[in-house]
Amino acid sequence: MIGLSKSLGLYHEDEAIMKIPKLKNKKNFIYAVITTLCIISLIGILYQVIGNKEPYQDGIWLNTEWKITINDQVSQDVNLNKFSFPATQKGDRVLLENMLPEQKIIDPVLRIMTYYSTVEVKLDGEQIYEYGVDDYAADRLVGCGYHYVTLPEGYEGRKLEISLGVTENHAFTSIEDILIEEDGKIITDFIFENRMILCISVFLIVFGCVLI
């Protein structure tokens, strides 16, 4: 009888231990569902409040009247939205030239998107920005991303030159839109423009943390 009681006691104890993980999994599932509903509601509220707003309303898009030189090939009066070319290769040089508009923006920042390229920006021949030149010379990877170049006072009407040195094969086949906007607005507009991606990313992070 004692042996039987001990056996029964051990059985009930093991059964209780086995129930603990199940309870934890159930709680985690409930937390995950609640978190999902909260985030969906937050996204809905976000779209209701600012869904009709357009980003970069106060910015200046520099998409037309470009002179683009790719190695020795020159293209005049280029519209960036309609311009494409064969994939650039390592060692290619791409030079973009344009006149900046007379419209004045307070604390102006020039936004440029590049892919696997060194970047040099000049105003009237004077260099105001450089990226990746030393890294490429040291055989380090030059990546992709946005460059935010602070423009000096009196930038209006001056000649802009953007020189790209391609560091990888098949780097890019077109030039992304180039923008001038106020320093205090350009980052917030970028966040707003990518709000859906950011919301989904936050949701996945929170959802993953709840399930751990």
Side-chain angles (χ1 to χ4, degrees):
M1 289 295 293
I2 294 173
L4 181 59
S5 299
K6 286 183 178 179
S7 298
L8 290 173
L10 286 171
Y11 172 77
H12 291 306
E13 189 176 319
D14 291 342
E15 188 179 57
I17 292 171
M18 291 176 63
K19 286 182 179 179
I20 294 173
K22 291 182 179 179
L23 290 173
K24 287 183 178 180
N25 290 335
K26 187 175 181 180
K27 287 181 179 179
N28 286 342
F29 177 76
I30 293 171
Y31 290 150
V33 170
I34 293 172
T35 302
T36 302
L37 293 174
C38 289
I39 292 176
I40 291 174
S41 300
L42 181 62
I43 293 173
I45 293 170
L46 182 65
Y47 270 93
Q48 286 295 324
V49 174
I50 57 175
N52 295 324
K53 180 182 179 295
E54 288 294 328
Y56 311 115
Q57 286 182 339
D58 301 322
I60 304 172
W61 293 101
L62 306 179
N63 291 332
T64 58
E65 301 180 357
W66 284 95
K67 176 184 176 182
I68 298 181
T69 305
I70 303 175
N71 298 323
D72 295 326
Q73 185 174 354
V74 180
S75 299
Q76 299 278 2
D77 198 21
V78 170
N79 184 327
L80 297 184
N81 293 323
K82 301 177 181 179
F83 185 68
S84 62
F85 41 85
T88 53
Q89 305 299 318
K90 185 175 182 178
D92 285 349
R93 301 291 303 183
V94 180
L95 176 63
L96 296 87
E97 301 173 81
N98 207 338
M99 299 302 294
L100 290 175
E102 295 291 344
Q103 182 180 342
K104 182 178 178 61
I105 288 183
I106 299 172
D107 298 326
V109 172
L110 180 73
R111 189 189 76 171
I112 309 165
M113 178 69 184
T114 65
Y115 300 90
Y116 304 111
S117 301
T118 62
V119 183
E120 295 174 81
V121 180
K122 295 180 180 180
L123 277 186
D124 288 343
E126 179 183 352
Q127 184 166 299
I128 61 170
Y129 180 83
E130 178 184 282
Y131 164 80
V133 175
D134 292 337
D135 288 334
Y136 183 56
D139 201 27
R140 292 193 291 265
L141 177 67
V142 177
C144 312
Y146 283 109
H147 305 267
Y148 296 95
V149 183
T150 301
L151 296 176
E153 185 72 23
Y155 72 89
E156 305 93 333
R158 298 174 66 180
K159 182 180 180 181
L160 172 67
E161 296 177 71
I162 303 171
S163 178
L164 308 177
V166 183
T167 64
E168 301 289 341
N169 291 327
H170 309 290
F172 55 93
T173 61
S174 62
I175 305 297
E176 297 281 347
D177 294 342
I178 298 174
L179 171 73
I180 301 176
E181 194 174 40
E182 184 180 331
D183 187 20
K185 295 180 179 178
I186 197 164
I187 299 299
T188 54
D189 279 346
F190 174 79
I191 293 171
F192 176 80
E193 182 184 34
N194 296 278
R195 61 194 181 279
M196 178 55 74
I197 296 172
L198 293 171
C199 286
I200 293 172
S201 300
V202 171
F203 162 71
L204 292 175
I205 292 170
V206 174
F207 189 79
C209 291
V210 169
L211 293 179
I212 292 176

mmCIF file of all heavy atoms in Angstrom, residues 38-53:
data_model
loop_
_atom_site.group_PDB
_atom_site.id
_atom_site.type_symbol
_atom_site.label_atom_id
_atom_site.label_comp_id
_atom_site.label_asym_id
_atom_site.label_seq_id
_atom_site.Cartn_x
_atom_site.Cartn_y
_atom_site.Cartn_z
ATOM 1 N N CYS A 38 -4.094 45.379 -30.118
ATOM 2 C CA CYS A 38 -3.681 46.744 -29.760
ATOM 3 C C CYS A 38 -2.911 47.407 -30.891
ATOM 4 O O CYS A 38 -3.137 48.584 -31.212
ATOM 5 C CB CYS A 38 -2.832 46.721 -28.493
ATOM 6 S SG CYS A 38 -3.749 46.335 -26.986
ATOM 7 N N ILE A 39 -2.000 46.664 -31.517
ATOM 8 C CA ILE A 39 -1.188 47.230 -32.588
ATOM 9 C C ILE A 39 -2.040 47.513 -33.821
ATOM 10 O O ILE A 39 -1.879 48.546 -34.482
ATOM 11 C CB ILE A 39 -0.010 46.293 -32.929
ATOM 12 C CG1 ILE A 39 0.973 46.256 -31.753
ATOM 13 C CG2 ILE A 39 0.696 46.735 -34.198
ATOM 14 C CD1 ILE A 39 2.116 45.300 -31.921
ATOM 15 N N ILE A 40 -2.966 46.608 -34.135
ATOM 16 C CA ILE A 40 -3.871 46.849 -35.258
ATOM 17 C C ILE A 40 -4.697 48.115 -35.017
ATOM 18 O O ILE A 40 -4.899 48.931 -35.913
ATOM 19 C CB ILE A 40 -4.782 45.628 -35.480
ATOM 20 C CG1 ILE A 40 -3.953 44.448 -36.009
ATOM 21 C CG2 ILE A 40 -5.910 45.959 -36.466
ATOM 22 C CD1 ILE A 40 -4.714 43.155 -36.117
ATOM 23 N N SER A 41 -5.170 48.274 -33.779
ATOM 24 C CA SER A 41 -5.933 49.475 -33.431
ATOM 25 C C SER A 41 -5.078 50.726 -33.562
ATOM 26 O O SER A 41 -5.535 51.768 -34.053
ATOM 27 C CB SER A 41 -6.465 49.361 -31.997
ATOM 28 O OG SER A 41 -7.310 48.238 -31.854
ATOM 29 N N LEU A 42 -3.816 50.631 -33.118
ATOM 30 C CA LEU A 42 -2.899 51.765 -33.219
ATOM 31 C C LEU A 42 -2.662 52.165 -34.668
ATOM 32 O O LEU A 42 -2.650 53.349 -35.011
ATOM 33 C CB LEU A 42 -1.569 51.411 -32.547
ATOM 34 C CG LEU A 42 -0.487 52.492 -32.542
ATOM 35 C CD1 LEU A 42 -0.959 53.712 -31.769
ATOM 36 C CD2 LEU A 42 0.799 51.958 -31.926
ATOM 37 N N ILE A 43 -2.482 51.174 -35.551
ATOM 38 C CA ILE A 43 -2.287 51.452 -36.976
ATOM 39 C C ILE A 43 -3.523 52.133 -37.547
ATOM 40 O O ILE A 43 -3.431 53.087 -38.325
ATOM 41 C CB ILE A 43 -1.970 50.146 -37.738
ATOM 42 C CG1 ILE A 43 -0.602 49.591 -37.302
ATOM 43 C CG2 ILE A 43 -1.974 50.390 -39.246
ATOM 44 C CD1 ILE A 43 -0.292 48.224 -37.867
ATOM 45 N N GLY A 44 -4.718 51.641 -37.154
ATOM 46 C CA GLY A 44 -5.961 52.246 -37.630
ATOM 47 C C GLY A 44 -6.094 53.692 -37.202
ATOM 48 O O GLY A 44 -6.463 54.560 -38.002
ATOM 49 N N ILE A 45 -5.762 53.974 -35.946
ATOM 50 C CA ILE A 45 -5.816 55.353 -35.441
ATOM 51 C C ILE A 45 -4.812 56.231 -36.180
ATOM 52 O O ILE A 45 -5.105 57.374 -36.537
ATOM 53 C CB ILE A 45 -5.542 55.374 -33.925
ATOM 54 C CG1 ILE A 45 -6.693 54.686 -33.166
ATOM 55 C CG2 ILE A 45 -5.378 56.809 -33.427
ATOM 56 C CD1 ILE A 45 -6.404 54.446 -31.701
ATOM 57 N N LEU A 46 -3.604 55.679 -36.434
ATOM 58 C CA LEU A 46 -2.568 56.431 -37.138
ATOM 59 C C LEU A 46 -3.039 56.852 -38.515
ATOM 60 O O LEU A 46 -2.856 57.999 -38.928
ATOM 61 C CB LEU A 46 -1.305 55.563 -37.248
ATOM 62 C CG LEU A 46 -0.082 56.185 -37.924
ATOM 63 C CD1 LEU A 46 0.443 57.339 -37.110
ATOM 64 C CD2 LEU A 46 1.001 55.147 -38.139
ATOM 65 N N TYR A 47 -3.674 55.953 -39.235
ATOM 66 C CA TYR A 47 -4.159 56.280 -40.571
ATOM 67 C C TYR A 47 -5.325 57.262 -40.539
ATOM 68 O O TYR A 47 -5.467 58.099 -41.423
ATOM 69 C CB TYR A 47 -4.563 55.006 -41.316
ATOM 70 C CG TYR A 47 -3.433 54.408 -42.096
ATOM 71 C CD1 TYR A 47 -2.622 53.425 -41.541
ATOM 72 C CD2 TYR A 47 -3.134 54.843 -43.376
ATOM 73 C CE1 TYR A 47 -1.572 52.881 -42.251
ATOM 74 C CE2 TYR A 47 -2.082 54.309 -44.104
ATOM 75 C CZ TYR A 47 -1.305 53.332 -43.533
ATOM 76 O OH TYR A 47 -0.260 52.807 -44.239
ATOM 77 N N GLN A 48 -6.161 57.162 -39.512
ATOM 78 C CA GLN A 48 -7.274 58.097 -39.397
ATOM 79 C C GLN A 48 -6.784 59.515 -39.126
ATOM 80 O O GLN A 48 -7.329 60.488 -39.637
ATOM 81 C CB GLN A 48 -8.219 57.651 -38.255
ATOM 82 C CG GLN A 48 -9.069 56.446 -38.585
ATOM 83 C CD GLN A 48 -10.054 56.714 -39.707
ATOM 84 O OE1 GLN A 48 -10.592 57.798 -39.824
ATOM 85 N NE2 GLN A 48 -10.284 55.716 -40.549
ATOM 86 N N VAL A 49 -5.751 59.621 -38.307
ATOM 87 C CA VAL A 49 -5.253 60.942 -37.907
ATOM 88 C C VAL A 49 -4.421 61.593 -38.993
ATOM 89 O O VAL A 49 -4.589 62.764 -39.323
ATOM 90 C CB VAL A 49 -4.433 60.827 -36.597
ATOM 91 C CG1 VAL A 49 -3.785 62.159 -36.249
ATOM 92 C CG2 VAL A 49 -5.336 60.363 -35.460
ATOM 93 N N ILE A 50 -3.489 60.818 -39.599
ATOM 94 C CA ILE A 50 -2.550 61.426 -40.552
ATOM 95 C C ILE A 50 -2.531 60.714 -41.900
ATOM 96 O O ILE A 50 -1.631 60.932 -42.697
ATOM 97 C CB ILE A 50 -1.121 61.446 -39.971
ATOM 98 C CG1 ILE A 50 -0.668 60.017 -39.591
ATOM 99 C CG2 ILE A 50 -1.034 62.351 -38.781
ATOM 100 C CD1 ILE A 50 0.766 59.948 -39.122
ATOM 101 N N GLY A 51 -3.521 59.882 -42.131
ATOM 102 C CA GLY A 51 -3.511 59.082 -43.353
ATOM 103 C C GLY A 51 -3.564 59.890 -44.630
ATOM 104 O O GLY A 51 -3.091 59.457 -45.669
ATOM 105 N N ASN A 52 -4.163 61.078 -44.597
ATOM 106 C CA ASN A 52 -4.302 61.878 -45.803
ATOM 107 C C ASN A 52 -3.148 62.842 -46.032
ATOM 108 O O ASN A 52 -3.109 63.540 -47.035
ATOM 109 C CB ASN A 52 -5.619 62.673 -45.739
ATOM 110 C CG ASN A 52 -6.828 61.750 -45.760
ATOM 111 O OD1 ASN A 52 -6.805 60.724 -46.436
ATOM 112 N ND2 ASN A 52 -7.860 62.106 -45.016
ATOM 113 N N LYS A 53 -2.223 62.906 -45.088
ATOM 114 C CA LYS A 53 -1.096 63.828 -45.214
ATOM 115 C C LYS A 53 -0.081 63.284 -46.219
ATOM 116 O O LYS A 53 0.193 62.097 -46.269
ATOM 117 C CB LYS A 53 -0.428 64.002 -43.852
ATOM 118 C CG LYS A 53 0.766 64.937 -43.862
ATOM 119 C CD LYS A 53 1.392 65.002 -42.485
ATOM 120 C CE LYS A 53 2.624 65.912 -42.474
ATOM 121 N NZ LYS A 53 3.704 65.392 -43.305
#
